[in-house]
Amino acid sequence: MLTVDFARLPVGPGVRVLDLGCGGGRHAFEVLRRGADVTAFDMDQSELDGVAGMFVAMDKAGEVPPGASGEIVQGTALDMPFEDGSFDRVIAAEVLEHIPDDMTAMREIFRVLKPGGTAAITVPSFLPERICWALDEDYHTAPGGHVRIYTLAELSAKLKSTGFEIGPHHHAHGLHAPYWWIKCAVGVNNDEHPLAKAYHGLLVWDIMKRPAATRIAEAVLNPVIGKSVVLYVRKP
């Protein structure tokens, strides 16, 4: 399930990409499939070990184009172990809302990006996120949870003050917002509730099958209740 639109953030052979806060590696895997060199970066070594294992499996399965490479690096977004201008592209998908000192993280993204490079920054959209916070306090107070709700204007202003040129944006995962509202309404940790389980099953089916009906529905819902907003920025 990708949040970033790679038509807006083109990657390919000879392009070096940082997947900041890669988590399970969904974007890193797609970058590698497209032939770029990707660095999967995260604080959680157990997540990184899983990503490294998948890189190996992809290579064995012939999914990695010749010349492309994937590596894992453990560390913090506030002090990344990379030289200035190391990457042509940076992806920071659902990361900044977890970081109290988000401006330092933004400055680090700016620092490691090459001049003329582009970044895709995604955070939870304001309205769906605000509803989740209102429905269940545990949603955002758990350790490592979300510490803020961004408006698009605030996110843009902070990135602009860091030095970025602000580009286009879009919303994603309109079908996922109702799932999280259900989860928060029944208890965010209550995975066994019948309604939550049923909707989760629908989402898994949609991800696997990608039927036309749900693609149309999500395209309609994204601008209104898309769970994530994706902003593309450029380093001058």
Side-chain angles (χ1 to χ4, degrees):
M1 183 187 70
L2 299 175
T3 306
V4 171
D5 178 3
F6 284 98
R8 301 174 190 249
L9 189 81
V11 300
V15 175
R16 190 176 183 204
V17 183
L18 172 66
D19 186 3
L20 170 60
C22 65
R26 57 198 174 101
H27 288 106
F29 303 146
E30 181 64 21
V31 169
L32 189 58
R33 288 189 187 98
R34 290 170 179 260
D37 300 317
V38 61
T39 297
F41 183 79
D42 204 281
M43 290 181 63
D44 189 335
Q45 187 62 49
S46 63
E47 292 271 34
L48 290 173
D49 291 341
V51 173
M54 183 58 73
F55 283 162
V56 172
M58 290 173 63
D59 188 43
K60 290 181 178 179
E63 296 182 30
V64 179
S69 66
E71 66 170 353
I72 60 168
V73 177
Q74 193 273 339
T76 171
L78 302 180
D79 185 19
M80 290 191 278
F82 307 115
E83 295 183 359
D84 296 357
S86 293
F87 298 95
D88 303 288
R89 308 280 186 269
V90 174
I91 298 169
E94 313 298 296
V95 173
L96 294 177
E97 69 274 12
H98 294 274
I99 302 175
D101 187 4
D102 61 337
M103 291 296 293
T104 293
M106 291 179 190
R107 287 191 289 270
E108 277 291 274
I109 294 170
F110 187 87
R111 181 184 68 79
V112 302
L113 192 60
K114 292 180 180 179
T118 53
I121 312 294
T122 96
V123 297
S125 299
F126 178 82
L127 178 60
E129 185 76 350
R130 187 68 189 88
I131 293 172
C132 286
W133 281 46
L135 287 172
D136 189 355
E137 185 176 356
D138 288 342
Y139 173 81
H140 66 94
T141 58
H146 299 179
V147 299
R148 71 176 59 78
I149 304 176
Y150 287 102
T151 64
L152 178 60
E154 177 191 358
L155 180 64
S156 300
K158 285 185 171 182
L159 289 165
K160 185 176 181 179
S161 72
T162 305
F164 285 108
E165 296 174 348
I166 306 302
H169 73 275
H170 62 86
H171 292 79
H173 311 315
L175 291 176
H176 289 247
Y179 169 71
W180 284 103
W181 297 340
I182 291 168
K183 285 273 287 178
C184 289
V186 303
V188 72
N189 297 313
N190 185 4
D191 295 330
E192 297 305 312
H193 190 280
L195 189 56
K197 287 183 71 174
Y199 202 105
H200 183 264
L202 171 66
L203 293 178
V204 172
W205 171 78
D206 175 59
I207 291 169
M208 297 298 293
K209 300 297 185 180
R210 308 291 290 177
T214 55
R215 295 305 87 222
I216 294 170
E218 185 151 84
V220 172
L221 290 172
N222 278 344
V224 183
I225 60 168
K227 185 69 171 64
S228 298
V229 60
V230 189
L231 181 61
Y232 301 89
V233 296
R234 178 180 179 273
K235 180 175 179 177

